[in-house]
Amino acid sequence: MAGKPFNFKFFLFMQKVLFTRTWNKIYIQRKASSSPHASQPHFNKYPFLGNEQGALLNKALMFHMEGALLKSSSVFPYFLLVAFEAGGPLRAFTLLLLYPIICLVGKEWGLKIMVFVCFVGLKEASFSVGKTVLPKFLLEDVGNEGFDMVMKCGGTKIAVTDMPRVMVDCFLTDYLRIEYVIGRELKVVCGHFIGLMEDKKTSSGSMELEKVPRKGKMDSPVIGISCFNNSLHHQLFSCCEVVYMVSEADKKNWQTLPREKYPRPLIFHDGRLALRPTPIAT
């Protein structure tokens, strides 16, 4: 009898999570379609760098890092690296145990759980995993085809990521020479991360682009590269003239980026793990 109240509460909790997740998707879709500021970009399927390559050379590019650049769309291994390298084995083991729940609750809630477990209590000033550990694993996960798509556009390059900006900023700006990174910021209290992200901006994609440092090529129309399952940045990509979509089937055929094509050689790596910690490998 003692287990019945707990089971009932757990059932209500899961029902609330799934109900909220479903209606959030419906709300986002309705809001995007009814917003007066939202433009209607053209959606084309990858691959696109063919006859249109010359027309894209002088246009600004906005791309989704996980969906259009990396071979794997899962961000869990990178959070596991943060948990292990910055927090220790116990924190990493806790995150690994929560992996089934992370998969169950959906993308946004799963991201919040990973951020909380990995970052709560860490000192902001001493956090260096994004500079010393993650670039190696992120570079090894870059798809050669996705890299070519991004680099062949000669305008200003804007990276959009689901992960906190502190995790990928060094990788994108220092190693790939990306001019601007749009990512979530982490809340800090008394010099420590509290495991929460700043609230997502409700502004449209055009308002976000106004914050990008202006260069001569930013006056041109913006081209977008995203993926079919990217629901967190729908409004951001709505300002693009054309959005090219990459599917998971396309990414399965991608080759790993050769080391000789790295824009900046990877010389220093301070991590204790040699292999990318996927859940099965871990």
Side-chain angles (χ1 to χ4, degrees):
M1 296 295 294
K4 289 185 178 180
F6 174 79
N7 292 335
F8 182 70
K9 290 180 180 179
F10 180 76
F11 172 76
L12 291 179
F13 171 76
M14 293 307 303
Q15 186 182 39
K16 181 180 179 181
V17 169
L18 295 175
F19 181 81
T20 304
R21 177 187 172 192
T22 302
W23 279 100
N24 279 344
K25 289 183 177 180
I26 297 174
Y27 172 75
I28 291 173
Q29 293 172 357
R30 288 180 176 175
K31 184 177 180 181
S33 61
S34 62
S35 174
H37 302 288
S39 58
Q40 298 297 329
H42 299 286
F43 291 92
N44 294 331
K45 187 179 178 182
Y46 164 88
F48 68 93
L49 289 178
N51 299 328
E52 305 175 35
Q53 179 176 337
L56 296 173
L57 290 179
N58 294 321
K59 293 187 177 181
L61 173 70
M62 178 186 293
F63 67 94
H64 184 235
M65 187 192 78
E66 293 85 351
L69 184 66
L70 302 183
K71 292 176 61 179
S72 173
S73 299
S74 174
V75 299
F76 180 81
Y78 305 112
F79 281 98
L80 195 57
L81 282 167
V82 171
F84 182 79
E85 300 288 355
L90 181 60
R91 192 187 291 251
F93 183 67
T94 302
L95 182 64
L96 184 62
L97 291 179
L98 291 173
Y99 179 71
I101 298 177
I102 293 171
C103 295
L104 180 65
V105 297
K107 196 170 185 178
E108 178 68 15
W109 276 97
L111 185 64
K112 291 180 179 180
I113 293 174
M114 291 188 289
V115 168
F116 182 81
V117 174
C118 294
F119 284 94
V120 63
L122 298 181
K123 290 184 178 180
E124 181 187 21
S126 61
F127 182 80
S128 60
V129 176
K131 298 180 179 179
T132 60
V133 178
L134 292 180
K136 170 188 181 295
F137 295 96
L138 288 166
L139 280 170
E140 292 176 350
D141 195 26
V142 172
N144 189 35
E145 291 79 0
F147 178 82
D148 288 340
M149 281 194 298
V150 172
M151 292 303 162
K152 285 182 180 179
C153 292
T156 301
K157 298 178 182 65
I158 308 162
V160 180
T161 177
D162 299 334
M163 290 186 277
R165 183 172 175 175
V166 70
M167 291 177 60
V168 300
D169 191 68
C170 178
F171 160 68
L172 290 169
T173 58
D174 293 348
Y175 286 92
L176 295 187
R177 311 299 186 189
I178 304 300
E179 287 87 351
Y180 195 77
V181 179
I182 298 178
R184 305 278 286 274
E185 301 291 343
L186 298 178
K187 294 183 179 181
V188 178
V189 175
C190 298
H192 290 76
F193 294 118
I194 60 174
L196 300 176
M197 294 181 291
E198 296 288 350
D199 294 334
K200 295 181 68 174
K201 303 297 182 182
T202 58
S203 59
S204 64
S206 58
M207 295 179 66
E208 286 288 340
L209 285 181
E210 291 177 358
K211 304 175 185 178
V212 178
R214 292 278 173 172
K215 295 184 180 180
K217 299 175 183 178
M218 271 303 294
D219 295 331
S220 61
V222 179
I223 302 298
I225 308 178
S226 186
C227 58
F228 286 101
N229 61 351
N230 179 23
S231 59
L232 300 182
H233 303 285
H234 178 81
Q235 291 230 341
L236 192 58
F237 280 90
S238 65
C239 66
C240 297
E241 179 188 38
V242 179
V243 178
Y244 295 94
M245 308 301 290
V246 182
S247 67
E248 291 298 325
D250 296 326
K251 295 172 69 173
K252 288 181 180 178
N253 298 321
W254 284 7
Q255 302 297 319
T256 303
L257 181 68
R259 283 182 172 268
E260 55 268 20
K261 292 184 68 173
Y262 288 1
R264 173 186 171 184
L266 181 65
I267 300 175
F268 179 71
H269 173 64
D270 193 31
R272 291 175 285 178
L273 297 179
L275 300 177
R276 185 167 171 267
T278 61
I280 296 178
T282 304

